[in-house]
Amino acid sequence: MLPNFTYERAGSVDEAVEHSASEGAVLHAGGTDLLGCLRDGVFTAEKVVSLSGLEELKGIQATRDGGLRIGALTTLTEIASDATIAERYTALSQAAAAAASPQLRNQGTIGGNICQRPRCWYYRGDFHCLRKGGDTCYAIVGENHFHCIFGGSGCYIVHPSDTAPALQALGASVRIASRSGTRTVSLDDFFVLPADDIRQENILEPGELVTEVVLPPLRTGTRSVYRKVRDRGAWDFALAGLAAVVLMDGDRVQEASLVLAGVAPKPWRAADAEEALAGGSLDDATIARVAEAAVSGAQPLEHNGYKVQLVRGLMEETLRGLEA
Amino acid sequence: MGKKTDKPGSKSGLSRRNFIGTVGAGALGAAMVGPGTATAKETQAQTDGHLVASLNVNGRRLRVPIEARHTLLEVLRDKVELTGTKEGCGRGECGACTVLVDGVPKYSCMTLAIEAEGADITTVEGVMNGEELGQVQEAFVEEDAFQCGYCTPGQVMAVEGLLMQNPNPSIAEIQESMSGNLCRCGAYDHIFKAVRRAAELKAAGG
């Protein structure tokens, strides 16, 4: 049985901010990560603040500048089945459809998906690791098959989300509500590496919550895709994933945004690969160069070296697929 | 299968287990108070710091004394005594606990009962036809779509949800929609055939 907690159903965003600012308060959106964390004792909750009554945080609407606004409580199923998102922000549609399982997509929200806690089995297990306030990372010399090849430092988790890389590649931002008002933060600046803060994966402080995700308008001719590689055909986290957003000018790549899932403690922008791709065409030689650039600087651990070749192949296949 | 009773069957949300106890004696357990009736027990439960959740289960409105930390699965099985829904993993990974919440399949082990207030909850008991099997269940029997049967209620509910959304799914669509329900006995092939058969039965109105 879950440990005991008091339960508050917020009647407004302001109420949610107030309630969640207190010590030991946690936010409940879909609850699908929260309940797992509480059950595994990853953290404790004195108070659960439910957002589920906040209708203003649900739904998908066009913004005045031709972009899209998605309420943080919009479920992954709602996003995966939205025709506008499928057509214009394809990478997000595909990422949402590839996450978890049908039941979890029906309940899990986009806000919860980008804020979800890591799946590292030491973190989720009975190990008092660095991220939980202990003094050891068990993965460094342990079973690190599913840990990171980029961005690790002290802690070697991967960020588990599929939608976060897609959103970042599409240039999305999040709106964050707090006691001091609302602010907008680009996904590029939302996530945190262990070197900067080993205790949290994003910049949210107690008393802050994501209220919506905002997608900018994309220029005509922009194409995007999300490709997820996993052990199983469905219902599994990514061994590696790639969100690719490409704007073509004839047969030349005018602009490219390449963000990887499953390889780093945050969605990993393959900046060198983006640079190698910009201005080039999608021919075999360029693609090979881009794939090589994507893994430059990779620092595999004892058991996750396969991810290096996996990222190369993922980059090559995805880009070739875009050319078609 | 079985004789018809003159009281509404499982669709009412009453389980077979407490059926005998309720008929004649006229007594309802504290878990099954009708809307608007406050018993002394219920009032005491509220002052204990517990909540009283208003849950609609299989078409029946219930007021159930719970704690906020109780999952929908725990409440359905332990308080409402509808034990058809199973706990396979308790971690939101296997699908054995699948119920419909407003027609949408969800893992009841990953849902706080208090969060399901106001929604229409359907369990496997609720897809019976009185004491007869519903069409999806019938199809599972016809296609031999279970061995131990433990994952089966969850599979059935996932199918019910699928066919409400997509009455004529392809095998690929079936595989995708059923990917959240694991079967350790490996009855998958038969399960997919059962979904096609259930679609036929529903289309034929049988």
Side-chain angles (χ1 to χ4, degrees):
Chain A
M1 192 170 289
L2 291 173
N4 223 338
F5 48 76
T6 59
Y7 173 87
E8 298 287 350
R9 192 176 284 154
S12 68
V13 172
D14 285 341
E15 256 182 59
V17 165
E18 266 322 297
H19 277 306
S20 65
S22 51
E23 183 89 35
V26 296
L27 292 166
H28 180 297
T32 52
D33 192 34
L34 175 64
L35 264 62
C37 286
L38 292 179
R39 206 172 257 126
D40 288 341
V42 176
F43 51 77
T44 53
E46 302 286 318
K47 172 168 49 166
V48 167
V49 181
S50 171
L51 305 172
S52 53
L54 300 179
E55 294 304 312
E56 66 264 44
L57 298 189
K58 300 174 190 173
I60 302 164
Q61 290 103 30
T63 56
R64 243 173 296 165
D65 64 353
L68 221 55
R69 170 261 181 205
I70 306 174
L73 290 188
T74 310
T75 68
L76 297 179
T77 295
E78 284 162 352
I79 290 170
S81 54
D82 184 84
T84 307
I85 294 178
E87 193 196 313
R88 290 168 49 199
Y89 300 96
T90 316
L92 175 61
S93 181
Q94 292 174 342
S101 71
Q103 288 92 327
L104 290 175
R105 291 194 289 272
N106 289 336
Q107 190 168 342
T109 66
I110 185 79
N113 193 259
I114 68 177
C115 295
Q116 68 181 291
R117 305 313 299 272
R119 307 306 307 192
C120 166
W121 38 34
Y122 299 105
Y123 177 78
R124 293 265 167 176
D126 274 333
F127 299 84
H128 195 49
C129 71
L130 281 170
R131 189 162 289 273
K132 290 188 285 191
D135 57 12
T136 313
C137 167
Y138 297 87
I140 301 180
V141 294
E143 305 296 331
N144 47 40
H145 310 68
F146 305 119
H147 291 73
C148 66
I149 58 171
F150 298 109
S153 169
C155 170
Y156 295 85
I157 56 153
V158 296
H159 198 284
S161 170
D162 298 302
T163 62
L167 287 170
Q168 190 170 340
L170 290 164
S173 308
V174 287
R175 298 273 291 157
I176 298 170
S178 69
R179 272 167 166 164
S180 44
T182 334
R183 66 189 197 280
T184 305
V185 176
S186 162
L187 269 266
D188 279 310
D189 302 321
F190 182 71
F191 296 102
V192 166
L193 285 176
D196 297 315
D197 190 338
I198 208 164
R199 302 297 309 274
Q200 49 194 81
E201 299 82 54
N202 60 59
I203 58 167
L204 294 177
E205 294 298 327
E208 299 192 325
L209 66 136
V210 173
T211 56
E212 54 193 45
V213 173
V214 182
L215 287 160
L218 296 175
R219 279 183 282 172
T220 322
T222 306
R223 297 164 62 197
S224 68
V225 64
Y226 181 73
R227 172 92 194 276
K228 179 173 184 173
V229 180
R230 44 191 159 179
D231 271 332
R232 298 194 282 251
W235 192 187
D236 210 349
F237 291 95
L239 295 175
L242 173 62
V245 181
V246 165
L247 175 62
M248 303 299 292
D249 177 15
D251 71 339
R252 302 243 137 222
V253 174
Q254 192 174 322
E255 247 173 68
S257 195
L258 305 167
V259 183
L260 291 160
V263 298
K266 63 177 188 176
W268 193 255
R269 185 175 285 284
D272 293 341
E274 289 173 343
E275 209 179 294
L277 186 53
S281 64
L282 290 169
D283 59 81
D284 284 352
T286 308
I287 290 176
R289 258 199 319 278
V290 171
E292 203 50 50
V295 298
S296 76
Q299 294 180 298
L301 304 166
E302 187 182 342
H303 298 292
N304 69 1
Y306 70 89
K307 285 197 190 242
V308 178
Q309 182 53 15
L310 183 57
V311 169
R312 262 198 213 99
L314 181 57
M315 192 64 68
E316 284 180 16
E317 283 191 13
T318 308
L319 293 176
R320 263 193 234 116
L322 272 175
E323 164 198 25
Chain B
M1 291 182 42
K3 55 181 165 49
K4 297 248 193 257
T5 60
D6 50 15
K7 210 171 150 82
S10 307
K11 266 212 152 66
S12 71
L14 286 172
S15 73
R16 292 239 229 356
R17 283 165 195 232
N18 63 18
F19 176 71
I20 305 292
T22 57
V23 169
L28 288 170
M32 306 271 286
V33 180
T37 17
T39 61
K41 246 188 182 153
E42 184 185 338
T43 311
Q44 197 214 333
Q46 282 174 311
T47 58
D48 277 349
H50 290 204
L51 308 167
V52 178
S54 302
L55 296 172
N56 307 324
V57 182
N58 298 331
R60 191 174 158 93
R61 293 178 61 213
L62 309 172
R63 286 176 59 71
V64 188
I66 63 164
E67 293 173 45
R69 61 173 170 155
H70 288 155
T71 63
L72 181 58
L73 176 65
E74 286 163 351
V75 169
L76 287 170
R77 289 185 56 84
D78 303 337
K79 304 250 178 196
V80 187
E81 292 188 350
L82 292 174
T83 54
T85 312
K86 307 301 183 201
E87 178 178 34
C89 68
R91 310 172 57 84
E93 291 177 7
C94 76
C97 69
T98 302
V99 297
L100 299 184
V101 180
D102 287 333
V104 169
K106 293 187 178 174
Y107 295 148
S108 59
C109 75
M110 298 304 270
T111 307
L112 294 177
I114 194 71
E115 287 282 323
E117 274 198 316
D120 286 323
I121 300 161
T122 315
T123 70
V124 67
E125 290 89 348
V127 300
M128 296 281 288
N129 239 326
E131 288 295 306
E132 304 288 324
L133 295 180
Q135 292 134 329
V136 175
Q137 293 160 310
E138 189 58 53
F140 267 62
V141 171
E142 280 185 34
E143 295 295 334
D144 189 26
F146 52 89
Q147 293 182 33
C148 77
Y150 197 76
C151 75
T152 309
Q155 302 276 1
V156 166
M157 297 319 293
V159 176
E160 292 279 357
L162 164 61
L163 294 179
M164 280 192 335
Q165 284 302 303
N166 182 355
N168 189 19
S170 64
I171 290 292
E173 287 169 332
I174 292 169
Q175 289 173 325
E176 169 65 46
S177 297
M178 302 302 292
S179 60
N181 291 79
L182 304 182
C183 172
R184 197 61 180 81
C185 296
Y188 296 110
D189 238 31
H190 292 219
I191 291 170
F192 302 148
K193 292 199 180 90
V195 181
R196 285 300 320 155
R197 180 64 185 137
E200 280 169 25
L201 289 174
K202 282 192 184 258

